Amino acid sequence: MALSGTSRVRRQLPTSPWLFAAPGLLVISAFVLYPFVSTVVNSFTDRRTLIPGRFVGLANFRELLHDDMFWTGLRNSTLYVLGVVPLLVVLPLLLALLVQKNIPGIAFFRSAFYTPVVASIVVVGLIWVWLLDERGLVNSLLETVGVGRVGFLSDQWLLLLSAMAVTVWKGLGYYMIIYLAALGNVPRELHEAAAVDGAGAVRRFLTVTVPAVRSTMVLVGALSSVAAFKVFSEVYLLAGPSGGPAGEDTTLVMLVQRTGTGLSGRVGYASALSVVVFVVTVALMLLVLRADRKEDA
Amino acid sequence: MSVLEKTRAPEQPPRAAREPRITDEHGRRVRVWELALRYVLLLAVLALTIGPFLWQLSTSLKGPTEDIYSSPPTFLPGDPTLHNYARVADTIPVWDYALNSLKVATANVVTNCVGAALAGYALARLRYRGRRAATLAFILAMLVPVEGIIIAQFTTMRDLGLNNTLIGVVLPGCIGAMNVLLMRNAFLNLPYEIEEAAFVDGANVWQRFLRIALPSVKGTLAVVAIFAFMGAWDDFLWPLIVLSDPSKFTLTIGLNYLHGTFANDERLVAAGTIIAVAPLIALFACLQRYFFRGVGEGAVKG
């Protein structure tokens, strides 16, 4: 009797729901929301890892404008978006169409195409470092067919292109699964009607499939452009910690990591760089979503 | 086009009777030439996606006397040996690193499952002032790009005295905002009537949570668990920043170190990468449908 009495009281205690939410709220407050605010605040200071730092106004941002490395990083991260996103919007869709039909063995193919997603980016990066090595498999094959060897990992631009290829290779399977779900919702009547009207495969793809999965394409565009702008690991692994020849392959996030960590890290300046990462990320999202709305009108 | 189809139509039924009927997702028959073309393309993509893994495996099994740079390349090791795997263990404490990765990944699974289930239930089912604010906090946290706050996370860890510890590796992602929102949606999709009935019968909030709600969202919980494991096992940027003492390295950081120090020893690096990737490929092979389901649910939220 006393037991049921206390349980009824406890049920009415207002603290109980907060008890459920507390661990989660505590973690995101301490390790996501607070660091976010502190990044913005630090960007106006000259804080270093071991030195508390003073308010310096916009000095960090003014320094950014004259920092060649910043412009290199911004250029490379932007090029990354331009290079990777179109491929990641289109190729996985084609791949999804390829694995859509339930022909024998298709489950195996779907899983196999997803395997690069499961592997760590470090594993993937090191696999491709070896594949694209001066004496690696790709160059052996190129030499065998008479093209000759290519210095994929020694030229500034080839390095960046190689890293983009790795990003696309690793992302294909992920976006393929997203498209596969969307394709399942395309009404079959549309395809049949188009086929009756004499539309070939390419025409049906452009007039039926693409409009039907357009919102998914926008989603993939948004997800992949944000991810591409924040690229770190692929370039770090292929070009090395210093970012390739003369650091010319450094991306913005690599610059954040290089500037802000370690015992002599310039936390304030790295925070200003991070703020740029935030702003561009949000801008990219808005841009993609606005492009979507324009097509609607 | 349509004429061709008509003339071919009569001979289709007998063939269909002999062979297993191959149909598309709408139950229509797939033509033979189209089928052949599909398999050719599928095999080509297969070579591109799985080939690099197999090449790495092959390199790792080639002995010190075998030429790994030959042109044309030799795909199969002439005399397969596990020698390189033993050498990895002699060069870096790879099994300690694997254990560190396992610790980090397991802790990440436990904290994410427990924390996300509790918070998700609070957001979906419990009534209290500030619930909307709490939901908003998780949504905002989900939108913050991790790469933009790593420096502040690093200084926070320093302030807490947790940099260069495995706890420091786990903490920032130990209850992911997206996982909380995934669990919230899963709970919201449950019919409320059962819990209401239990409430009327006098079940308290813990009983309703543990006995009624939680068993009904096991699928989503499995997705959270798998992605928490994979995320922690594969993570690179954050452990790279927070760990500086080689004895605390996780497998990915250890591999990066191996590559940085012994870049010219391709057999050694290949063996290291296979050690790092094999457990996840095995996990994926066993639990594929949760991996695929996670992509769908994550994409809808993301």
Coordinates of all heavy atoms in Angstrom, one line a residue, chain A residues 11 17-18 20 31 35 38-39 49-50 97-98 100-104 111-112 114 118 120 122 126 130-131 135 137 140 143-144 169 177-178 188 192 230 232-233 256 274, chain B residues 23-26 28 34-35 38-39 46 48-49 55-56 59 69-73 118-119 128-129 147-148 152-153 157-158 199 234 236-237 252 259 266 280 284 288 295:
Chain A
R11 N 5.2 9.6 -9.8 CA 4.7 9.8 -11.1 C 4.4 11.3 -11.3 O 4.6 11.8 -12.4 CB 3.5 9.0 -11.3 CG 3.1 8.8 -12.8 CD 2.1 7.8 -13.0 NE 0.9 8.0 -12.2 CZ 0.2 7.0 -11.6 NH1 0.6 5.8 -11.7 NH2 -0.9 7.3 -10.9
P17 N 10.8 13.7 -15.8 CA 11.1 13.8 -17.2 C 12.5 14.4 -17.4 O 13.2 14.0 -18.3 CB 10.0 14.8 -17.7 CG 8.9 14.7 -16.8 CD 9.6 14.4 -15.4
W18 N 12.9 15.3 -16.6 CA 14.2 16.0 -16.7 C 15.3 14.9 -16.4 O 16.4 15.0 -17.0 CB 14.3 17.2 -15.8 CG 13.5 18.3 -16.3 CD1 12.4 18.8 -15.8 CD2 13.8 19.1 -17.5 NE1 11.9 19.8 -16.6 CE2 12.8 20.1 -17.6 CE3 14.9 19.1 -18.4 CZ2 12.8 21.0 -18.7 CZ3 14.8 20.0 -19.4 CH2 13.8 21.0 -19.6
F20 N 15.2 11.9 -17.3 CA 15.4 11.1 -18.6 C 16.2 11.9 -19.6 O 17.1 11.4 -20.2 CB 14.0 10.8 -19.2 CG 13.3 9.6 -18.7 CD1 12.9 9.5 -17.4 CD2 13.2 8.5 -19.5 CE1 12.3 8.4 -16.9 CE2 12.6 7.4 -19.0 CZ 12.1 7.3 -17.7
F31 N 29.4 19.5 -24.8 CA 30.4 19.2 -25.8 C 30.0 19.6 -27.2 O 30.7 19.3 -28.2 CB 30.7 17.7 -25.8 CG 31.2 17.2 -24.5 CD1 30.5 16.4 -23.6 CD2 32.5 17.7 -24.0 CE1 31.0 16.0 -22.4 CE2 33.0 17.3 -22.8 CZ 32.3 16.5 -22.0
P35 N 30.9 24.4 -26.8 CA 32.0 24.6 -27.7 C 31.6 25.5 -28.9 O 32.4 26.3 -29.4 CB 32.3 23.2 -28.2 CG 31.9 22.3 -27.1 CD 30.7 23.0 -26.6
S38 N 31.6 29.0 -27.5 CA 33.0 29.4 -27.2 C 33.9 29.5 -28.4 O 34.8 30.4 -28.4 CB 33.6 28.4 -26.2 OG 34.6 27.6 -26.7
T39 N 33.6 28.8 -29.5 CA 34.3 29.0 -30.8 C 34.0 30.5 -31.3 O 35.0 31.2 -31.7 CB 33.8 28.0 -31.9 OG1 34.1 26.7 -31.4 CG2 34.5 28.3 -33.2
T49 N 46.6 27.9 -26.8 CA 46.3 26.7 -26.0 C 46.6 26.9 -24.5 O 45.8 26.6 -23.6 CB 47.0 25.4 -26.5 OG1 46.8 25.3 -27.9 CG2 46.6 24.2 -25.8
L50 N 47.8 27.5 -24.2 CA 48.2 27.6 -22.8 C 48.1 29.0 -22.3 O 48.3 29.3 -21.1 CB 49.7 27.2 -22.7 CG 49.9 25.7 -23.1 CD1 51.4 25.4 -23.1 CD2 49.1 24.8 -22.1
L97 N 19.6 2.8 -59.9 CA 18.8 2.3 -61.0 C 19.4 0.9 -61.4 O 18.6 0.0 -61.7 CB 18.8 3.2 -62.2 CG 18.0 4.5 -62.0 CD1 18.3 5.4 -63.2 CD2 16.5 4.2 -61.9
L98 N 20.7 0.8 -61.3 CA 21.3 -0.5 -61.7 C 21.0 -1.6 -60.7 O 20.8 -2.8 -61.1 CB 22.8 -0.3 -61.8 CG 23.7 -1.4 -62.3 CD1 23.3 -1.8 -63.7 CD2 25.2 -1.1 -62.2
Q100 N 18.3 -1.7 -58.7 CA 16.9 -1.6 -58.3 C 16.2 -2.9 -58.6 O 15.4 -3.3 -57.8 CB 16.2 -0.4 -59.0 CG 14.9 -0.1 -58.3 CD 14.1 0.9 -59.2 OE1 14.5 1.2 -60.3 NE2 13.0 1.3 -58.7
K101 N 16.4 -3.4 -59.8 CA 15.6 -4.6 -60.1 C 16.1 -5.8 -59.3 O 17.3 -6.0 -59.1 CB 15.8 -4.9 -61.6 CG 15.2 -3.8 -62.5 CD 14.8 -4.2 -63.9 CE 14.0 -3.2 -64.5 NZ 13.9 -3.2 -65.9
N102 N 15.1 -6.6 -58.9 CA 15.4 -7.8 -58.1 C 15.8 -9.0 -58.9 O 15.1 -9.9 -59.1 CB 14.2 -8.1 -57.3 CG 14.1 -7.2 -56.1 OD1 15.1 -6.9 -55.4 ND2 12.9 -6.8 -55.8
I103 N 17.0 -8.9 -59.5 CA 17.5 -10.0 -60.3 C 18.4 -10.8 -59.4 O 18.8 -10.3 -58.3 CB 18.3 -9.5 -61.5 CG1 19.4 -8.5 -61.1 CG2 17.4 -8.8 -62.5 CD1 20.2 -8.0 -62.3
P104 N 18.7 -12.1 -59.7 CA 19.4 -13.0 -58.8 C 20.7 -12.4 -58.4 O 21.5 -11.8 -59.3 CB 19.6 -14.3 -59.6 CG 18.5 -14.2 -60.6 CD 18.2 -12.8 -60.9
S111 N 25.2 -5.0 -51.3 CA 26.1 -5.0 -50.1 C 27.5 -4.6 -50.5 O 28.2 -3.8 -49.8 CB 26.1 -6.3 -49.4 OG 24.8 -6.6 -49.0
A112 N 28.0 -5.2 -51.6 CA 29.4 -5.0 -52.0 C 29.6 -3.5 -52.3 O 30.6 -3.0 -52.0 CB 29.7 -5.9 -53.2
Y114 N 28.2 -1.1 -51.0 CA 28.2 -0.3 -49.8 C 29.4 -0.5 -48.9 O 29.7 0.3 -48.0 CB 26.9 -0.8 -49.0 CG 26.6 0.1 -47.8 CD1 25.9 1.3 -48.0 CD2 26.9 -0.2 -46.5 CE1 25.6 2.2 -46.9 CE2 26.5 0.6 -45.4 CZ 25.9 1.8 -45.7 OH 25.6 2.6 -44.6
V118 N 31.4 1.5 -45.1 CA 31.6 0.9 -43.8 C 33.1 1.1 -43.3 O 33.3 1.2 -42.2 CB 31.3 -0.6 -43.9 CG1 31.6 -1.3 -42.5 CG2 29.8 -0.8 -44.2
S120 N 36.7 2.5 -42.5 CA 37.2 3.8 -42.0 C 37.9 4.6 -43.1 O 38.5 4.1 -44.0 CB 38.2 3.6 -40.9 OG 38.9 4.8 -40.6
V122 N 40.4 6.3 -42.9 CA 41.9 6.0 -42.8 C 42.2 4.8 -43.7 O 43.2 4.9 -44.5 CB 42.4 5.9 -41.4 CG1 43.8 5.6 -41.3 CG2 42.0 7.1 -40.5
L126 N 44.4 5.1 -47.1 CA 45.7 4.3 -47.2 C 45.6 3.3 -48.4 O 46.6 3.1 -49.1 CB 46.1 3.6 -45.9 CG 46.4 4.6 -44.8 CD1 46.9 3.9 -43.6 CD2 47.4 5.7 -45.2
W130 N 48.2 3.7 -51.7 CA 49.0 2.6 -52.3 C 48.6 2.4 -53.8 O 49.4 2.2 -54.7 CB 48.9 1.4 -51.5 CG 49.4 0.1 -52.0 CD1 48.8 -1.1 -51.8 CD2 50.6 -0.2 -52.7 NE1 49.5 -2.1 -52.4 CE2 50.6 -1.6 -53.0 CE3 51.6 0.6 -53.2 CZ2 51.7 -2.2 -53.7 CZ3 52.7 0.0 -53.9 CH2 52.7 -1.3 -54.2
L131 N 47.3 2.4 -54.1 CA 46.8 2.2 -55.4 C 47.4 3.3 -56.4 O 47.7 3.0 -57.5 CB 45.3 2.3 -55.5 CG 44.5 1.1 -55.1 CD1 43.0 1.4 -55.0 CD2 44.7 -0.1 -56.1
R135 N 54.5 3.7 -58.0 CA 54.7 2.3 -58.4 C 53.5 1.4 -58.1 O 53.6 0.2 -58.1 CB 56.0 1.7 -57.7 CG 57.2 2.5 -58.0 CD 58.4 1.9 -57.3 NE 58.3 2.1 -55.8 CZ 59.2 1.6 -55.0 NH1 60.2 0.9 -55.4 NH2 59.0 1.8 -53.7
L137 N 49.3 0.1 -58.2 CA 48.5 -0.7 -59.2 C 48.0 0.1 -60.4 O 48.2 -0.3 -61.5 CB 47.3 -1.4 -58.5 CG 46.3 -2.2 -59.4 CD1 47.1 -3.4 -59.9 CD2 45.1 -2.6 -58.6
S140 N 50.8 0.7 -62.6 CA 51.2 -0.5 -63.3 C 50.3 -0.8 -64.5 O 50.7 -1.1 -65.6 CB 51.2 -1.7 -62.4 OG 52.1 -1.6 -61.4
E143 N 50.9 1.7 -67.3 CA 52.1 1.4 -68.0 C 51.8 0.2 -68.9 O 52.3 0.2 -70.1 CB 53.2 1.1 -67.1 CG 54.6 1.1 -67.8 CD 55.7 1.0 -66.8 OE1 55.7 0.1 -65.9 OE2 56.6 1.9 -66.8
T144 N 51.1 -0.8 -68.4 CA 50.8 -1.9 -69.2 C 50.1 -1.6 -70.5 O 50.3 -2.2 -71.6 CB 50.0 -3.0 -68.4 OG1 50.7 -3.2 -67.2 CG2 49.9 -4.3 -69.1
W169 N 34.3 7.7 -54.4 CA 34.3 6.3 -54.3 C 33.7 5.8 -53.0 O 32.9 4.9 -52.9 CB 35.7 5.8 -54.4 CG 35.9 4.3 -54.4 CD1 35.7 3.5 -55.4 CD2 36.4 3.5 -53.3 NE1 36.0 2.2 -55.0 CE2 36.4 2.2 -53.7 CE3 36.8 3.8 -52.0 CZ2 36.8 1.1 -52.9 CZ3 37.2 2.8 -51.2 CH2 37.2 1.5 -51.6
I177 N 21.9 4.0 -51.5 CA 20.9 3.5 -50.6 C 19.8 4.5 -50.4 O 18.6 4.2 -50.4 CB 21.4 3.0 -49.2 CG1 22.5 1.9 -49.4 CG2 20.3 2.6 -48.3 CD1 21.9 0.6 -49.9
I178 N 20.2 5.8 -50.3 CA 19.2 6.9 -50.1 C 18.3 6.9 -51.4 O 17.1 7.0 -51.3 CB 19.8 8.2 -49.9 CG1 20.6 8.2 -48.6 CG2 18.8 9.4 -50.0 CD1 21.2 9.5 -48.2
R188 N 4.8 3.3 -60.8 CA 5.1 2.5 -62.0 C 4.3 2.9 -63.2 O 4.8 2.8 -64.3 CB 4.9 1.0 -61.6 CG 4.6 0.1 -62.7 CD 4.1 -1.2 -62.0 NE 3.4 -2.0 -63.0 CZ 2.7 -3.0 -62.7 NH1 2.5 -3.4 -61.4 NH2 2.1 -3.7 -63.6
E192 N 5.2 3.3 -67.3 CA 4.5 2.6 -68.3 C 3.9 3.5 -69.3 O 3.9 3.3 -70.5 CB 3.4 1.7 -67.6 CG 4.0 0.5 -67.0 CD 3.0 -0.4 -66.2 OE1 1.9 0.1 -66.1 OE2 3.4 -1.5 -65.8
K230 N 33.7 20.4 -45.7 CA 34.4 20.2 -44.5 C 35.5 19.1 -44.7 O 35.9 18.5 -43.7 CB 33.4 19.8 -43.4 CG 32.4 20.8 -43.1 CD 31.5 20.4 -42.0 CE 30.7 19.2 -42.3 NZ 29.7 18.8 -41.3
F232 N 38.5 16.8 -44.7 CA 39.7 16.8 -44.0 C 40.6 15.5 -44.3 O 41.6 15.6 -44.9 CB 39.5 16.8 -42.5 CG 40.7 16.6 -41.6 CD1 41.6 17.6 -41.4 CD2 40.9 15.4 -41.1 CE1 42.8 17.4 -40.7 CE2 42.1 15.1 -40.3 CZ 43.0 16.2 -40.1
S233 N 40.0 14.3 -43.9 CA 40.8 13.1 -43.9 C 41.4 12.7 -45.3 O 42.5 12.3 -45.3 CB 39.9 12.0 -43.4 OG 39.3 12.3 -42.2
V256 N 42.3 24.5 -39.9 CA 41.8 24.6 -38.5 C 42.6 23.7 -37.6 O 43.1 24.1 -36.5 CB 40.3 24.3 -38.5 CG1 39.8 24.2 -37.0 CG2 39.5 25.3 -39.2
S274 N 37.2 28.6 -38.0 CA 36.0 27.7 -37.8 C 34.7 28.5 -38.1 O 33.7 27.9 -38.6 CB 35.9 27.2 -36.4 OG 37.1 26.5 -36.1
Chain B
T23 N 12.1 -11.2 -62.8 CA 11.2 -10.0 -62.9 C 11.8 -8.8 -62.2 O 12.7 -9.0 -61.3 CB 9.8 -10.3 -62.3 OG1 10.0 -10.7 -60.9 CG2 9.1 -11.4 -63.0
D24 N 11.3 -7.7 -62.5 CA 11.7 -6.5 -61.8 C 10.9 -6.3 -60.6 O 10.1 -7.1 -60.2 CB 11.7 -5.3 -62.8 CG 10.3 -4.9 -63.2 OD1 9.3 -5.5 -62.6 OD2 10.2 -4.1 -64.1
E25 N 11.1 -5.1 -60.0 CA 10.4 -4.8 -58.7 C 8.9 -4.7 -58.9 O 8.1 -4.8 -57.9 CB 11.0 -3.6 -58.1 CG 10.6 -2.3 -58.8 CD 11.4 -2.0 -60.0 OE1 12.2 -2.9 -60.4 OE2 11.3 -1.0 -60.6
H26 N 8.4 -4.6 -60.1 CA 7.0 -4.5 -60.3 C 6.4 -5.8 -60.9 O 5.2 -5.9 -61.2 CB 6.6 -3.4 -61.4 CG 7.1 -2.1 -60.9 ND1 6.9 -1.5 -59.7 CD2 7.9 -1.2 -61.6 CE1 7.4 -0.3 -59.6 NE2 8.1 -0.1 -60.7
R28 N 7.4 -7.4 -63.5 CA 7.4 -7.6 -65.0 C 8.7 -8.3 -65.4 O 9.7 -8.2 -64.7 CB 7.4 -6.2 -65.7 CG 6.0 -5.6 -65.7 CD 6.0 -4.3 -66.4 NE 7.1 -3.4 -65.8 CZ 7.3 -2.2 -66.2 NH1 6.6 -1.7 -67.1 NH2 8.3 -1.5 -65.6
E34 N 19.0 -7.2 -71.8 CA 19.0 -6.2 -70.8 C 19.6 -6.7 -69.5 O 20.5 -6.1 -68.8 CB 17.6 -5.6 -70.5 CG 17.7 -4.3 -69.6 CD 16.4 -4.1 -69.0 OE1 15.3 -4.3 -69.6 OE2 16.4 -3.6 -67.8
L35 N 19.3 -8.0 -69.2 CA 19.8 -8.7 -68.1 C 21.3 -8.8 -68.2 O 22.1 -8.6 -67.2 CB 19.1 -10.0 -67.9 CG 19.1 -10.7 -66.6 CD1 18.4 -9.8 -65.6 CD2 18.5 -12.1 -66.7
R38 N 23.0 -5.6 -67.6 CA 23.0 -5.3 -66.2 C 24.1 -6.0 -65.5 O 24.9 -5.4 -64.7 CB 21.7 -5.7 -65.6 CG 20.7 -4.6 -65.6 CD 19.3 -4.9 -65.1 NE 18.4 -3.9 -65.3 CZ 18.2 -2.8 -64.5 NH1 18.9 -2.8 -63.3 NH2 17.4 -1.9 -64.8
Y39 N 24.3 -7.3 -65.7 CA 25.3 -8.0 -65.0 C 26.7 -7.6 -65.4 O 27.6 -7.5 -64.5 CB 25.2 -9.5 -65.3 CG 24.1 -10.2 -64.4 CD1 22.9 -10.7 -64.8 CD2 24.3 -10.2 -63.0 CE1 22.0 -11.2 -64.0 CE2 23.4 -10.8 -62.1 CZ 22.2 -11.2 -62.6 OH 21.3 -11.8 -61.8
L46 N 31.5 -3.7 -59.4 CA 32.0 -4.6 -58.3 C 33.5 -4.5 -58.3 O 34.1 -4.4 -57.2 CB 31.5 -6.0 -58.5 CG 31.9 -7.0 -57.4 CD1 31.1 -6.7 -56.1 CD2 31.7 -8.4 -57.9
L48 N 35.4 -2.2 -59.2 CA 35.8 -0.9 -58.8 C 35.6 -0.7 -57.3 O 36.5 0.0 -56.6 CB 35.0 0.2 -59.5 CG 35.5 0.7 -60.8 CD1 34.6 1.7 -61.4 CD2 36.9 1.3 -60.7
T49 N 34.6 -1.3 -56.7 CA 34.3 -1.0 -55.3 C 35.1 -2.0 -54.4 O 35.6 -1.7 -53.3 CB 32.8 -1.1 -54.9 OG1 32.3 -2.3 -55.5 CG2 32.1 0.1 -55.5
W55 N 43.0 -5.9 -53.5 CA 44.4 -5.6 -53.9 C 45.2 -5.4 -52.6 O 46.3 -5.8 -52.4 CB 44.4 -4.4 -54.8 CG 45.8 -3.9 -55.1 CD1 46.4 -2.7 -54.7 CD2 46.8 -4.6 -55.9 NE1 47.7 -2.6 -55.2 CE2 47.9 -3.8 -55.9 CE3 46.8 -5.8 -56.5 CZ2 49.1 -4.1 -56.6 CZ3 48.0 -6.2 -57.2 CH2 49.1 -5.4 -57.2
Q56 N 44.6 -4.7 -51.6 CA 45.2 -4.4 -50.3 C 45.5 -5.8 -49.6 O 46.5 -6.0 -49.1 CB 44.3 -3.5 -49.5 CG 45.0 -2.8 -48.3 CD 45.9 -1.7 -48.8 OE1 46.2 -1.5 -49.9 NE2 46.4 -0.9 -47.8
T59 N 48.3 -7.5 -51.4 CA 49.6 -6.9 -51.0 C 50.0 -7.4 -49.6 O 51.2 -7.7 -49.4 CB 49.5 -5.4 -51.1 OG1 49.0 -5.0 -52.3 CG2 50.8 -4.8 -50.8
Y69 N 55.6 -4.4 -57.2 CA 55.6 -3.3 -58.1 C 55.5 -3.7 -59.5 O 55.6 -2.9 -60.4 CB 56.8 -2.4 -57.9 CG 57.0 -2.0 -56.5 CD1 58.2 -2.4 -55.8 CD2 56.1 -1.1 -55.8 CE1 58.4 -2.0 -54.5 CE2 56.4 -0.7 -54.5 CZ 57.5 -1.2 -53.9 OH 57.7 -0.8 -52.6
S70 N 55.4 -5.0 -59.8 CA 55.5 -5.5 -61.2 C 54.5 -4.9 -62.1 O 53.4 -4.5 -61.7 CB 55.4 -7.0 -61.2 OG 54.1 -7.4 -60.8
S71 N 54.9 -4.8 -63.4 CA 54.0 -4.3 -64.4 C 54.1 -5.2 -65.6 O 55.2 -5.3 -66.2 CB 54.4 -2.9 -64.8 OG 53.6 -2.4 -65.8
P72 N 53.1 -5.9 -66.1 CA 51.7 -5.9 -65.5 C 51.7 -6.5 -64.1 O 52.5 -7.3 -63.7 CB 51.0 -6.8 -66.5 CG 52.0 -7.7 -67.1 CD 53.2 -6.8 -67.2
P73 N 50.7 -6.0 -63.3 CA 50.7 -6.4 -61.9 C 50.3 -7.9 -61.7 O 49.6 -8.5 -62.6 CB 49.5 -5.5 -61.3 CG 48.7 -5.1 -62.5 CD 49.7 -5.1 -63.7
L118 N 16.7 7.2 -23.4 CA 16.1 8.0 -22.3 C 15.6 9.4 -22.8 O 14.5 9.8 -22.6 CB 17.1 8.2 -21.2 CG 17.4 6.9 -20.3 CD1 18.5 7.2 -19.3 CD2 16.1 6.6 -19.5
A119 N 16.5 10.1 -23.4 CA 16.2 11.4 -23.9 C 15.1 11.4 -24.9 O 14.2 12.2 -24.9 CB 17.4 12.1 -24.4
Y128 N 6.2 18.0 -19.8 CA 6.8 18.9 -18.8 C 7.1 20.2 -19.5 O 7.2 20.3 -20.7 CB 8.1 18.3 -18.3 CG 9.1 17.8 -19.3 CD1 10.2 18.7 -19.7 CD2 9.0 16.6 -19.9 CE1 11.1 18.3 -20.6 CE2 9.8 16.2 -20.9 CZ 10.9 17.1 -21.3 OH 11.8 16.7 -22.2
R129 N 7.2 21.2 -18.6 CA 7.5 22.5 -19.2 C 9.0 22.5 -19.7 O 9.8 21.9 -19.1 CB 7.5 23.6 -18.1 CG 6.0 24.0 -17.7 CD 6.0 24.6 -16.3 NE 6.8 25.9 -16.3 CZ 6.2 27.0 -16.6 NH1 4.9 27.1 -16.8 NH2 6.9 28.1 -16.6
E147 N 33.3 19.6 -37.4 CA 34.6 20.1 -37.8 C 34.8 21.5 -37.3 O 35.9 22.0 -37.2 CB 34.8 20.0 -39.3 CG 34.9 18.6 -39.8 CD 33.6 17.9 -40.0 OE1 32.5 18.4 -39.6 OE2 33.5 16.8 -40.5
G148 N 33.7 22.3 -37.1 CA 33.8 23.7 -36.8 C 34.0 23.9 -35.3 O 34.3 25.0 -34.9
A152 N 37.4 24.1 -30.0 CA 36.8 24.4 -28.7 C 36.6 23.1 -27.9 O 36.7 23.1 -26.7 CB 35.4 25.1 -28.9
Q153 N 36.3 22.0 -28.6 CA 36.1 20.7 -27.8 C 37.5 20.3 -27.3 O 37.6 19.8 -26.1 CB 35.7 19.6 -28.8 CG 34.2 19.7 -29.1 CD 33.7 18.6 -30.1 OE1 34.5 18.1 -30.9 NE2 32.5 18.3 -30.0
M157 N 38.3 19.8 -23.4 CA 38.9 18.5 -22.8 C 40.2 18.9 -22.0 O 40.4 18.2 -21.0 CB 39.3 17.6 -24.0 CG 38.1 16.8 -24.6 SD 37.2 15.9 -23.3 CE 35.6 15.9 -24.0
R158 N 40.9 19.8 -22.5 CA 42.1 20.2 -21.7 C 41.7 20.8 -20.3 O 42.3 20.4 -19.3 CB 42.9 21.3 -22.5 CG 43.9 20.8 -23.5 CD 44.8 21.9 -24.0 NE 45.6 22.4 -22.8 CZ 46.8 21.9 -22.4 NH1 47.2 20.8 -23.1 NH2 47.4 22.4 -21.4
F199 N -0.6 3.1 -17.9 CA -0.6 4.3 -17.0 C -1.9 4.2 -16.1 O -1.8 4.3 -14.9 CB -0.7 5.6 -17.8 CG -0.7 6.8 -17.0 CD1 0.4 7.3 -16.4 CD2 -1.9 7.5 -16.9 CE1 0.4 8.4 -15.6 CE2 -2.0 8.7 -16.1 CZ -0.8 9.1 -15.5
D234 N 35.7 4.0 -36.7 CA 36.2 4.6 -37.9 C 36.7 6.1 -37.7 O 37.4 6.6 -38.6 CB 35.2 4.7 -39.1 CG 34.9 3.3 -39.6 OD1 35.6 2.4 -39.3 OD2 33.9 3.2 -40.4
F236 N 38.4 9.6 -37.1 CA 39.8 9.9 -37.4 C 40.2 11.3 -36.8 O 41.1 11.4 -36.0 CB 40.2 9.8 -38.9 CG 41.6 10.2 -39.2 CD1 42.6 9.6 -38.6 CD2 41.8 11.1 -40.2 CE1 43.9 9.9 -38.9 CE2 43.2 11.5 -40.5 CZ 44.2 10.8 -39.9
L237 N 39.5 12.3 -37.2 CA 39.9 13.7 -36.9 C 39.9 13.9 -35.4 O 40.9 14.5 -34.9 CB 38.9 14.7 -37.6 CG 39.1 16.2 -37.3 CD1 40.6 16.6 -37.7 CD2 38.1 17.0 -38.1
T252 N 42.8 3.6 -35.9 CA 42.9 4.6 -37.0 C 44.1 5.5 -36.9 O 44.8 5.7 -37.8 CB 41.6 5.4 -37.2 OG1 41.3 6.0 -36.0 CG2 40.5 4.6 -37.7
H259 N 51.6 4.6 -41.3 CA 51.8 5.1 -42.6 C 52.8 6.2 -42.6 O 53.7 6.3 -43.5 CB 50.5 5.6 -43.2 CG 50.6 6.4 -44.4 ND1 51.0 5.9 -45.6 CD2 50.3 7.7 -44.6 CE1 51.0 6.9 -46.5 NE2 50.6 8.0 -45.9
E266 N 55.0 -1.0 -48.1 CA 53.5 -1.1 -48.5 C 52.9 -2.4 -47.9 O 51.7 -2.4 -47.6 CB 53.4 -1.1 -50.0 CG 53.4 0.3 -50.6 CD 54.8 0.8 -50.9 OE1 55.8 0.0 -50.7 OE2 55.0 1.9 -51.3
L280 N 34.9 -4.6 -39.1 CA 33.7 -3.9 -39.6 C 33.1 -4.6 -40.7 O 31.9 -4.6 -40.8 CB 34.1 -2.5 -39.9 CG 33.9 -1.5 -38.7 CD1 34.1 -0.1 -39.2 CD2 32.4 -1.7 -38.2
F284 N 29.3 -5.8 -40.8 CA 28.4 -5.4 -41.8 C 27.8 -6.6 -42.5 O 26.6 -6.6 -42.8 CB 29.2 -4.6 -42.9 CG 28.4 -4.2 -44.1 CD1 27.2 -3.7 -44.0 CD2 29.0 -4.5 -45.3 CE1 26.5 -3.3 -45.2 CE2 28.3 -4.2 -46.5 CZ 27.0 -3.6 -46.4
Q288 N 23.6 -6.4 -42.2 CA 23.4 -5.5 -43.3 C 22.2 -4.7 -43.2 O 22.2 -3.5 -43.5 CB 23.4 -6.3 -44.6 CG 24.7 -6.8 -45.0 CD 24.5 -7.7 -46.2 OE1 23.5 -7.7 -46.9 NE2 25.4 -8.6 -46.4
V295 N 20.9 4.3 -42.9 CA 21.0 5.3 -43.9 C 19.7 6.0 -44.2 O 19.6 7.2 -44.2 CB 21.6 4.7 -45.3 CG1 21.7 5.7 -46.3 CG2 22.9 4.0 -45.0

